[in-house]
């Protein structure tokens, strides 16, 4: 289903398809309900017993409900979260979102889209990590070869150098 024309409002990084708005650009009933659940679950998060807003602010809960993150990476992109909080809280927040979306027909399709997007992002991240590891290994091999070549050149320039018999 398509989201017609416009796209005004606080755009954030091309994630428009993930927002759970009703037809009038307002948060839908299910999104508002999920926001309330996300606000309530903050007390269960590490550190939430001391200061729930330290976990994530209300604005963050609304953004999470809007974006429906399906992975730690997607969660880290929500307002007030970031990488550290995503790493710390994903094990509580993501299953809550999944269960909520699976129980609400109007959220199920958006959730499935986010899950698929998370799979693609995770595969891309794994490919990047593999390429970076290979590049590091290639650099290490090249550095070792250069060191061997320097020693060989140095030995060739040394008049006292004698090949082992």
């Amino acid at each position: 289903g398509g989201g017609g024309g416009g796209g005004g409002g606080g755009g954030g990084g091309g994630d428009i398809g993930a927002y759970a708005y009703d037809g009038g650009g307002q948060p839908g009933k299910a999104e508002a309900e999920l926001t309330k659940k996300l606000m309530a679950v903050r007390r269960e998060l590490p550190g939430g017993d001391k200061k729930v807003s330290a976990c994530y602010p209300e604005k963050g809960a609304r953004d999470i409900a809007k974006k429906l993150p399906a992975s730690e990476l997607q969660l880290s992109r929500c307002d007030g979260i970031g990488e550290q909080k995503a790493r710390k809280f994903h094990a509580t927040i993501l299953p809550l979102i999944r269960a909520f979306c699976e129980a609400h027909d109007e959220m199920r399709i958006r959730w499935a889209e986010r899950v698929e997007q998370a799979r693609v992002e995770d595969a891309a991240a794994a490919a990047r990590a593999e390429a970076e590891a290979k590049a590091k290994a290639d650099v290490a091999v090249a550095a070792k070869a250069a060191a061997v070549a320097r020693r060989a050149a140095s030995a060739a320039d040394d008049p006292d150098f004698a090949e082992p018999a």
Side-chain angles (χ1 to χ4, degrees):
D15 230 357
I16 296 298
Y19 290 83
Y21 286 112
D22 67 13
Q26 295 296 315
K29 183 179 176 184
E31 181 184 314
E33 186 181 334
L34 179 56
T35 298
K36 287 179 186 173
K37 288 186 176 289
L38 289 163
M39 295 294 291
V41 80
R42 295 185 305 175
R43 292 208 178 282
E44 299 171 25
L45 297 171
D49 54 339
K50 294 175 179 43
K51 188 173 181 191
V52 293
S53 62
C55 298
Y56 49 85
E58 183 175 347
K59 180 181 177 185
R62 284 193 308 266
D63 200 44
I64 293 168
K66 219 187 296 183
K67 292 181 178 174
L68 301 176
S71 69
E72 185 178 325
L73 176 63
Q74 289 175 346
L75 181 61
S76 73
R77 295 177 183 150
C78 294
D79 281 345
I81 300 295
E83 289 182 26
Q84 282 185 336
K85 288 182 182 179
R87 194 173 311 115
K88 195 172 180 182
F89 303 145
H90 77 278
T92 301
I93 295 172
L94 297 181
L96 176 122
I97 296 168
R98 180 181 55 247
F100 185 87
C101 290
E102 289 174 354
H104 291 78
D105 290 340
E106 66 272 30
M107 304 289 267
R108 199 171 291 140
I109 291 173
R110 286 187 201 95
W111 173 249
E113 290 168 352
R114 294 300 281 166
V115 168
E116 184 56 32
Q117 185 179 8
R119 283 189 191 124
V120 170
E121 290 171 345
D122 289 348
R128 274 193 305 277
E130 186 177 325
E132 288 171 6
K134 184 179 180 341
K136 281 183 181 178
D138 290 349
V139 167
V141 168
K144 190 172 184 177
V148 168
R150 280 192 302 276
R151 280 196 299 274
S154 176
D157 291 341
D158 184 354
D160 294 331
F161 179 78
E163 277 293 324

